[in-house]
Amino acid sequence: MNSNIVETVIGAVVLAFATIFLVFAYRTAEVNIGSGGINLSASFDNVDGLSVGSDVRMSGIKVGAVTSQTLDPKTYRAILKISLDDDVELPDDSSAKITSSSLLGNNYLQLTPGGSDDMLEDGGTISYTQGAVNIQDLIAQAIFSSSNDSKK
């Protein structure tokens, strides 16, 4: 009978530690995609390397996250929906560019604020966008352009 009580107490302690660990992991992972702030959309030619949950940064600081990606069936452009933090106000002439944190790093959406006095409202659209640059295409272009120059 004593061993059953000891096993029960040990099991309860293990469950308590597991719960504490899960709460800590949830809070540090910042899993609050799409909550609070304003929701915006932007249209891109190419969103390679960007996925739902990717960072949205301004001046290198995370200010939001990508909440969805869809394809516009009429224009065949990628439509990104993003959610920004409550305290971020974005001028309506701001631009969005997909860039990477390093040569092999993850891509993120870089916002550059414009100079307008009018701010984007919830549900607004960022008009000025630049899609992802494919590094393989750039390398191939550099190789083939240099080989064409040497033949002349």
Side-chain angles (χ1 to χ4, degrees), residues 44-64:
F44 293 89
D45 290 330
N46 185 356
V47 292
D48 280 343
L50 209 61
S51 60
V52 173
S54 293
D55 289 352
V56 176
R57 298 182 189 175
M58 189 181 303
S59 301
I61 298 173
K62 182 179 177 185
V63 295

